[in-house]
Amino acid sequence: QKEVEQNSGPLSVPEGAIASLNCTYSDRVSQSFFWYRQYSGKSPELIMSIYSNGDKEDGRFTAQLNKASQYVSLLIRDSQPSDSATYLCAVESGGSYIPTFGRGTSLIVHP
Amino acid sequence: DTAVSQTPKYLVTQMGNDKSIKCEQNLGHDTMYWYKQDSKKFLKIMFSYNNKELIINETVPNRFSPKSPDKAHLNLHINSLELGDSAVYFCASSQDPLRGVNEQFFGPGTRLTVL
């Protein structure tokens, strides 16, 4: 059974701080990794995808992947109240078509 | 110019009824999905179609039947609705998962309430 684990939170950070969201996965052959943001009452939207070990930066967001340790993380720099949402980690084995989602981490950025 | 659309947005119905949810995508993607998100916000895949062909059918009661008339549409029909079917149902599409391009684009969701 493929599992994707996330701390449900809430993770509370002050405005302007770095928010660090973590995700671990059980399937060693996983190849594709995604972070989605879901505002309350809305649908998930893709923030970043990462496929190889290391860091990938996009604006204030950085995804970090460590396949040996089977974790992927998302850093949000200069956190804003508008970043308050649930962040879903999704992991997929190559060619499986099936992304497995974690339960999400609730992030609260307070002014 | 919504990328993935679903109708209806809200659906309130009695136990035992049959209902359908429609989904359309205008992204030109080959693959479409249905997900169920329960009250605990857990997002679980139900079905996936690639070019109108069923490729994923997770453990879902056979009261749920997807239909894909063409690759831009994937509808979900639910027979004999039960209380436990109450959830938010999301349609999604992705470009080319077989080649690793599997970023999911989600529709706005359909909130189903069974009374």
Side-chain angles (χ1 to χ4, degrees), chain A residues 4-73:
Chain A
V4 178
E5 299 287 341
Q6 294 182 258
N7 188 324
S8 62
L11 172 66
S12 182
V13 300
E15 185 174 356
I18 296 175
S20 177
L21 304 160
N22 298 314
C23 170
T24 60
Y25 58 94
S26 63
D27 188 357
R28 287 193 168 274
V29 299
S30 298
Q31 296 186 9
S32 305
F33 306 85
F34 308 92
W35 283 100
Y36 291 84
R37 177 177 61 200
Q38 187 174 22
Y39 291 113
S40 180
K42 300 295 186 182
S43 57
E45 56 178 329
L46 180 72
I47 299 176
M48 292 190 72
S49 55
I50 187 167
Y51 302 96
S52 53
N53 279 329
D55 295 0
K56 179 180 178 182
E57 187 174 317
D58 183 0
R60 296 186 296 113
F61 299 96
T62 299
Q64 299 176 318
L65 175 60
N66 184 323
K67 289 186 179 181
S69 299
Q70 294 177 242
Y71 82 78
V72 55
S73 60

Side-chain angles (χ1 to χ4, degrees), chain A residues 1 32 34 36 38 40-46 49 51 86 88 92 94-104, chain B residues 31 33 35 37 40-43 45 48 50 55-56 58 90 97-98 100-104 106-109 111:
Chain A
Q1 176 104 13
S32 305
F34 308 92
Y36 291 84
Q38 187 174 22
S40 180
K42 300 295 186 182
S43 57
E45 56 178 329
L46 180 72
S49 55
Y51 302 96
T86 296
L88 301 169
E92 186 188 316
S96 76
Y97 284 103
I98 308 174
T100 301
F101 282 82
R103 289 184 178 270
Chain B
T31 306
Y33 307 79
Y35 288 88
Q37 189 170 47
K40 296 182 179 178
K41 308 299 183 187
F42 187 41
L43 193 63
I45 194 164
S48 177
N50 178 266
I55 53 170
I56 295 170
E58 293 295 292
F90 288 104
L98 268 185
V101 186
N102 202 11
E103 288 85 354
Q104 307 273 303
F106 286 86
R111 183 174 293 276

